[in-house]
Amino acid sequence: SWVIDISISSGFDTYVLVRPDQADLFEKIIGRKDIKILSSPYNRETGGEVLNHLHTLLDSSYQYVVVMPSDYYITSFKPELLIRAMENDGADIILIGCRAKRQGEYILLDQSGIVQKIHNEKTRLSAVGIYAMRTQILKENSDLIGKTINATVLVNTLIQRGCIARVFQF
């Protein structure tokens, strides 16, 4: 529920992506009309589900997509900071990185601070799994719709295609 609370308090339209078998349950639990429950017949990773619901994002005036998985508990975080960072840096994608050397995925930066890729070799920054991107770059890469990919593959693919990704250190 913290993801929903943070999104609403930030003034964002809030969508919750769930597996098809959970949609009715979430609607009952949340019980709010201002929260949209999105489900699909697929059980894809985060990146694949974002792409799966791209039509919802593109049929609207949304400029940004902010992804906040519910298994991270950074309750003090304000997602609007990602949007400001993206605007200030001229980036297409902003990833939250932290200096914790946890096991998982790490962010590889070039000398100017632009993300080269997210990978498994340890670097000084760990990827937290919270990110924001311009909706326009998803539209420009709509050939990815229907792919079964996770957020890391989505971000790496967009970087390989020339999108600029930067890190917001938290």
Side-chain angles (χ1 to χ4, degrees):
S1 67
W2 74 271
V3 172
I4 295 168
D5 294 341
I6 287 172
S7 299
I8 291 170
S9 69
S10 297
F12 293 140
D13 283 343
T14 303
Y15 294 88
V16 178
L17 297 178
V18 297
R19 292 192 306 265
D21 60 326
Q22 295 178 331
D24 290 339
L25 175 65
F26 269 82
E27 281 186 27
K28 288 177 187 172
I29 291 171
I30 293 171
R32 295 180 60 145
K33 300 288 186 212
D34 55 342
I35 307 296
K36 293 108 181 148
I37 306 294
L38 300 177
S39 66
S40 70
Y42 312 105
N43 190 11
R44 296 191 172 141
E45 300 267 349
T46 307
E49 285 300 334
V50 168
L51 292 168
N52 205 39
H53 295 286
L54 189 56
H55 63 282
T56 302
L57 302 169
L58 298 181
D59 290 345
S60 64
S61 60
Y62 302 125
Q63 290 182 282
Y64 309 100
V65 175
V66 178
V67 176
M68 297 181 12
S70 61
D71 55 350
Y72 289 97
Y73 300 98
I74 306 176
T75 56
S76 62
F77 180 68
K78 296 188 179 342
E80 60 267 24
L81 296 175
L82 289 179
I83 305 301
R84 265 192 246 135
M86 193 179 323
E87 290 299 324
N88 291 339
D89 291 343
D92 300 308
I93 305 164
I94 293 285
L95 309 167
I96 291 187
C98 66
R99 293 196 180 272
K101 295 254 185 177
R102 65 173 181 79
Q103 191 171 11
E105 295 174 322
Y106 299 89
I107 301 170
L108 180 64
L109 302 174
D110 69 8
Q111 292 178 344
S112 64
I114 294 175
V115 177
Q116 297 299 295
K117 68 178 178 175
I118 305 169
H119 63 144
N120 290 324
E121 292 177 40
K122 286 190 177 186
T123 63
R124 63 183 181 85
L125 286 173
S126 293
V128 172
I130 298 174
Y131 60 93
M133 62 181 62
R134 297 179 191 277
T135 307
Q136 183 62 33
I137 66 164
L138 292 171
K139 185 175 187 177
E140 292 167 2
N141 291 277
S142 61
D143 62 302
L144 297 172
I145 294 174
K147 304 284 184 187
T148 305
I149 59 176
N150 61 28
T152 300
V153 172
L154 173 61
V155 170
N156 281 336
T157 300
L158 294 173
I159 290 169
Q160 290 170 356
R161 292 181 174 187
C163 294
I164 297 173
R166 295 215 181 249
V167 174
F168 181 90
Q169 291 193 36
F170 185 77

